[in-house]
Amino acid sequence: MTYSEGEALLRRKIGLDASSIGSGAIARAIDRRMADCGITDIASYLRHLEESSQEWQALIDSVIVPETWFLREPESFKFLQQYAISEWLPNQSQRVLRVLSVPCSTGEEPYSIAIAALESGLNVANIHIDAVDISNKCLATAQRAIYDQYSFRGCSPSFQARYFQATPAGYQLSEQVRHMVNFSQGNLVNPDFLAGTAPYDVIFCRNLLIYFDRDTKERTISVIEKLLSQTGLLFVGHAEAGVLFNSQFVAVPHSLAFAYRKVSISRHSAKKHPDPRKQAIADKRPPQLSKSQTQQPVAKTNTNQILPDSTPDLLEQAKALANQGCLNEAIQLCNDYLSQNRISVEAYVLLGQAQQAIGQNQQAAESFQKAIYLQPTQEEALTHLALLKEHQGDVAGANLLWQRIHRLQNHL
């Protein structure tokens, strides 16, 4: 047996697409687990893996490296608060708002949801938050609710002071917020995930779909669709917007919230009356090229080239400033960096994100366009540009970009 068989096993069990994290990362995780188990050959380890649910958990914990923090992608939480204040409280105040966070990782996301709900005026008794993750190790950290400073990057000191108490082990979340979240272990890939539970009004499923292969993405979206109420909100990660392109979800016009609602028409009526957004895209679909046409040589741009006078530390400093919310300073450093590294795709994407966050939408669009010119498959830039066009009312332009993203994500 080989590492590729380990990759196939992970794909079958949890839907993991090896290319999303790299075969090397999976091989290293398997090597670590083999060493811990005292097993020297991979064939024996994979047999052990098939027989031991405990070892499965250990491998999952080794493969999955949580990357999360409080109020990550803050516009999502701002829109959640806006929804609670303008839609939920005026019309549904007697009902309990049901929220699902999956995967919840080490807890920063569901606790951020709880805090956002409290700050929007919801009572503890009027919100129910379920948080699910496949990793027992992550769940243990979440339930402990003690975090180091890294979990607060981008958060204001006042946020930390209001809800956390400094302890020798780290920052302990307040008891009130901890008790608002119900944690459990589960695998969203399973078709019967949370079967029989009441529909959720809000689902956060962020930065998970990007790790799945095409079939698993489609199955997972189907599960989410069943779990979400007809008028509910779905929040995804910024890199996942294109995944929902051909699904029964439509984007909410709130910049950087990455929020979606179900399309109001049913699947049955959609067949009789096609979604005009999808029809418009179909009408603009580029013609199929013959094999000889597709084999024409294409000039490539070396997007990794750095000019001799480069100062790579500037870009890292810009990232750190952006994460801390110092957006104007981050923009300045990005521009300084680009003055010496004119073909840095990464810098243009970061610059565009910072510009978009402070409302400089036209400048942001130009930055994303430059990134796409240098690297036509730059999915993050394509996604942000599509969202900008939607926000500006350019539906046709956004549709073309969503189509392009969808083709990239499905390797078409």
Side-chain angles (χ1 to χ4, degrees):
M1 290 190 180
T2 63
Y3 289 113
S4 62
E5 291 179 71
E7 292 178 9
L9 207 53
L10 285 164
R11 180 187 292 263
R12 189 170 74 250
K13 293 278 191 178
I14 63 173
L16 179 66
D17 182 355
S19 65
S20 66
I21 63 171
S23 295
I26 293 176
R28 289 190 293 274
I30 291 174
D31 285 342
R32 285 194 297 271
R33 291 309 310 152
M34 286 173 60
D36 288 345
C37 294
I39 298 174
T40 56
D41 68 285
I42 191 168
S44 298
Y45 175 72
L46 292 178
R47 284 195 297 272
H48 173 58
L49 192 62
E50 290 274 30
E51 297 167 357
S52 171
S53 59
Q54 185 176 354
E55 182 55 30
W56 255 117
Q57 272 297 316
L59 179 61
I60 288 170
D61 290 336
S62 187
V63 168
I64 296 173
V65 180
E67 179 63 18
T68 185
W69 57 91
F70 285 98
L71 302 179
R72 183 181 184 181
E73 293 175 353
E75 287 301 320
S76 295
F77 298 100
K78 289 179 184 177
F79 183 69
L80 176 63
Q81 289 180 311
Q82 178 182 316
Y83 167 76
I85 293 168
S86 63
E87 291 190 42
W88 185 264
L89 286 173
N91 303 306
Q92 309 277 355
S93 59
Q94 301 307 308
R95 285 187 57 224
V96 173
L97 180 69
R98 289 176 51 77
V99 183
L100 172 65
S101 168
V102 57
C104 66
S105 189
T106 46
E108 288 92 333
E109 178 179 275
Y111 289 138
S112 294
I113 293 169
I115 291 169
L118 288 175
E119 294 189 345
S120 67
L122 281 169
N123 294 320
V124 172
N126 292 117
I127 184 167
H128 176 94
I129 303 172
D130 287 328
V132 183
D133 202 273
I134 196 171
S135 168
N136 285 327
K137 182 179 179 181
C138 285
L139 289 169
T141 300
Q143 290 170 313
R144 185 167 174 252
I146 297 176
Y147 298 94
D148 59 26
Q149 190 61 44
Y150 195 59
S151 289
F152 300 96
R153 54 194 188 276
C155 296
S156 67
S158 61
F159 170 86
Q160 200 168 341
R162 284 197 305 275
Y163 297 103
F164 295 85
Q165 179 69 43
T167 73
Y171 295 91
Q172 173 75 67
L173 181 62
S174 73
E175 186 175 357
Q176 180 192 33
V177 177
R178 292 204 310 271
H179 288 168
M180 291 176 66
V181 181
N182 310 290
F183 291 99
S184 63
Q185 195 273 341
N187 185 358
L188 182 56
V189 171
N190 291 338
D192 59 350
F193 176 76
L194 294 182
T197 60
Y200 290 94
D201 303 293
V202 178
I203 295 178
F204 276 70
C205 183
R206 306 192 302 171
N207 306 303
L208 173 68
L209 298 174
I210 53 174
Y211 295 107
F212 289 163
D213 58 64
R214 179 178 180 175
D215 290 342
T216 307
K217 285 175 184 174
E218 292 177 355
R219 292 199 308 272
T220 303
I221 291 169
S222 178
V223 171
I224 291 171
E225 188 178 354
K226 292 175 184 175
L227 290 171
L228 187 66
S229 71
Q230 194 58 39
T231 57
L233 284 174
L234 169 64
F235 290 89
V236 298
H238 70 268
E240 296 166 321
V243 177
L244 298 177
F245 178 71
N246 278 337
S247 70
Q248 289 297 307
F249 290 95
V250 63
V252 172
H254 184 103
S255 181
L256 299 179
F258 310 109
Y260 287 77
R261 290 186 188 272
K262 288 183 177 180
V263 175
S264 58
I265 55 175
S266 68
R267 291 185 184 276
H268 176 71
S269 60
K271 292 178 182 177
K272 294 182 179 180
H273 306 286
D275 184 346
R277 170 177 164 174
K278 294 179 183 177
Q279 188 61 47
I281 293 165
D283 293 341
K284 294 178 176 63
R285 189 165 290 138
Q288 295 293 316
L289 299 179
S290 67
K291 186 174 181 181
S292 61
Q293 287 174 300
T294 60
Q295 291 177 340
Q296 293 298 316
V298 178
K300 294 184 178 179
T301 302
N302 180 5
T303 59
N304 295 319
Q305 179 182 348
I306 301 296
L307 299 183
D309 294 330
S310 66
T311 51
D313 286 348
L314 281 179
L315 192 56
E316 292 306 313
Q317 292 170 28
K319 289 178 188 176
L321 286 169
N323 280 335
Q324 294 165 16
C326 303
L327 298 171
N328 288 312
E329 293 86 347
I331 289 170
Q332 181 60 55
L333 285 186
C334 282
N335 283 322
D336 291 346
Y337 181 83
L338 284 164
S339 69
Q340 299 184 51
N341 301 269
R342 297 181 184 277
I343 57 173
S344 171
V345 174
E346 186 179 9
Y348 278 120
V349 173
L350 180 61
L351 176 61
Q353 290 173 323
Q355 290 167 329
Q356 188 176 8
I358 63 172
Q360 295 180 356
N361 289 342
Q362 185 57 45
Q363 295 94 320
E366 292 172 2
S367 296
F368 294 135
Q369 286 166 346
K370 288 175 182 177
I372 294 164
Y373 173 78
L374 291 168
Q375 185 179 330
T377 58
Q378 222 299 329
E379 196 172 308
E380 196 166 9
L382 287 164
T383 299
H384 279 289
L385 188 57
L387 291 166
L388 271 174
K389 287 184 178 293
E390 280 189 351
H391 183 67
Q392 294 166 348
D394 182 3
V395 177
N399 281 341
L400 289 173
L401 288 167
W402 289 129
Q403 180 190 22
R404 187 168 167 183
I405 293 164
H406 183 68
R407 288 200 304 269
L408 285 172
Q409 292 181 333
N410 289 282
H411 310 292
L412 298 180

